[in-house]
Amino acid sequence: MPFSGLTTFGTSFLSKFECSQMPHPLLEHITFVDTPGVLSGEKQRTQRSYEFTGVTSWFAAKCDLILLLFDPHKLDISDEFKRVIGSLRGHDDKIRVVLNKADQIDTQQLMRVYGALMWSLGKVLNTPEVSRVYIGSFNDKPVKESAVGPIGKELFEKEQDDLLSDLKDIPKKACDRRINEFVKRARAAKIHAYIIGHLKNQMPTMMGKAKAQQKLIDNLEGEFAKVQREHHLPAGDFPYVEHFREALGGYSIDRFEKVKPKMIQAVDDMLGYDIPELLKNFRNPYE
């Protein structure tokens, strides 16, 4: 199974991680991952024995669809939930929001709850696009028509059909997503090489290396801007400054390799010619 990478989170996580296999045709192509409940209120002060947001980020990078579940009676987004959503940065296109148990409130309350949810999400999901929200009661029980009325019942059924269609499309879209992820990683590697090469060039040859390295780390935003201008790179492809700064502190910049133009050219050729050629020769097996 493709979970060997999770060993980096330690035995405290692995002892809580469980897998179940069921003989069902749908599960031959889809794996569902259910996270433990996000802590709120006083419970947030209790530290988990493993890096919860790190595990979430690991799964987010490898999955095809992320469902954020909300309850109409518990719309508050706790600090831990904010950190979880923050760890999903860069995967905004995968996120879908589900407002579950919506038949437990009447239509008037539902409109207020929906508005409050969108307002809360707007503060946490830092994207200009509006997230897709599925409203309904996603269980095997009939919808309470007495609470929502006939219009609400019809709406819930349509929303449920849309969510199921999204889930059924996962295998078909997975092939495209793998290509996109591969291209994204190749572009990230290219930008990483440019950044490392630039930082290496800024280091002195003899004295004051430690001081020069600290100065570069402190002014990492400015160094990123220089690399972007020099090589005409899109700002959206650059890594997050804080993460990069944190990782950079454990290395000696002076020992980094210089940029090799031939290797950069090989990546450009792959993105410009090899990938399109591959896509011409192979078709999506799920279409």
Side-chain angles (χ1 to χ4, degrees), residues 199-271:
L199 294 175
K200 167 82 172 176
N201 290 338
Q202 303 303 307
M203 292 292 289
T205 52
M206 296 291 290
M207 304 291 289
K209 291 181 180 180
K211 192 175 179 180
Q213 173 160 336
Q214 192 56 51
K215 188 177 178 182
L216 287 171
I217 290 173
D218 292 341
N219 188 38
L220 208 53
E221 293 95 335
E223 302 304 325
F224 277 16
K226 288 177 187 175
V227 175
Q228 185 190 343
R229 286 195 300 270
E230 186 181 346
H231 301 286
H232 309 288
L233 300 168
D237 286 350
F238 275 71
Y240 303 124
V241 174
E242 287 306 319
H243 291 176
F244 203 88
R245 181 180 284 130
E246 190 178 329
L248 203 57
Y251 295 91
S252 175
I253 295 176
D254 188 53
R255 295 183 181 177
F256 287 159
E257 294 284 336
K258 290 187 176 180
V259 174
K260 296 175 181 174
K262 282 187 178 179
M263 294 182 80
I264 297 291
Q265 189 59 49
V267 173
D268 286 337
D269 290 344
M270 178 197 68
L271 294 173

Side-chain angles (χ1 to χ4, degrees), residues 35-267:
T35 65
V38 176
L39 302 179
S40 61
E42 287 294 316
K43 291 180 182 177
Q44 292 179 88
R45 298 181 185 179
T46 307
Q47 292 293 319
R48 295 182 190 267
S49 56
Y50 60 92
E51 192 187 351
F52 185 58
T53 52
V55 176
T56 309
S57 183
W58 188 92
F59 276 110
K62 293 162 181 62
C63 73
D64 294 292
L65 200 67
I66 302 167
L67 298 178
L68 298 179
L69 294 168
F70 286 89
D71 187 315
H73 302 293
K74 301 171 189 173
L75 282 183
D76 61 312
I77 299 177
S78 65
D79 291 340
E80 185 174 62
F81 203 6
K82 281 180 184 175
R83 290 196 295 273
V84 168
I85 294 173
S87 70
L88 305 178
R89 281 183 66 183
H91 308 290
D92 308 316
D93 56 317
K94 302 178 184 179
I95 296 175
R96 306 287 187 276
V97 179
V98 177
L99 180 58
N100 198 16
K101 303 178 185 176
D103 63 342
Q104 294 183 4
I105 54 176
D106 60 34
T107 309
Q108 187 179 15
Q109 286 177 307
L110 180 60
M111 294 302 292
R112 289 173 181 164
V113 165
Y114 179 79
L117 175 62
M118 296 304 289
W119 183 78
S120 299
L121 285 172
K123 293 197 298 180
V124 180
L125 288 173
N126 196 17
T127 56
E129 295 84 11
V130 178
S131 300
R132 174 68 167 96
V133 179
Y134 297 100
I135 305 169
S137 183
F138 300 96
N139 54 38
D140 54 358
K141 296 176 183 176
V143 176
K144 290 181 184 176
E145 199 168 337
S146 57
V148 295
I151 297 174
K153 185 174 184 293
E154 186 183 347
L155 170 68
F156 290 176
E157 287 170 353
K158 284 181 179 178
E159 291 284 283
Q160 188 168 327
D161 290 343
D162 285 354
L163 178 57
L164 287 173
S165 296
D166 236 350
L167 293 173
K168 287 173 183 174
D169 279 347
I170 287 175
K172 189 166 69 176
K173 291 178 180 175
C175 292
D176 296 336
R177 193 177 297 284
R178 280 172 191 154
I179 296 292
N180 291 341
E181 288 294 329
F182 179 72
V183 169
K184 191 192 294 184
R185 290 184 70 173
R187 288 165 65 131
K190 174 183 164 183
I191 286 175
H192 182 82
Y194 275 134
I195 292 170
I196 294 300
H198 171 78
L199 294 175
K200 167 82 172 176
N201 290 338
Q202 303 303 307
M203 292 292 289
T205 52
M206 296 291 290
M207 304 291 289
K209 291 181 180 180
K211 192 175 179 180
Q213 173 160 336
Q214 192 56 51
K215 188 177 178 182
L216 287 171
I217 290 173
D218 292 341
N219 188 38
L220 208 53
E221 293 95 335
E223 302 304 325
F224 277 16
K226 288 177 187 175
V227 175
Q228 185 190 343
R229 286 195 300 270
E230 186 181 346
H231 301 286
H232 309 288
L233 300 168
D237 286 350
F238 275 71
Y240 303 124
V241 174
E242 287 306 319
H243 291 176
F244 203 88
R245 181 180 284 130
E246 190 178 329
L248 203 57
Y251 295 91
S252 175
I253 295 176
D254 188 53
R255 295 183 181 177
F256 287 159
E257 294 284 336
K258 290 187 176 180
V259 174
K260 296 175 181 174
K262 282 187 178 179
M263 294 182 80
I264 297 291
Q265 189 59 49
V267 173

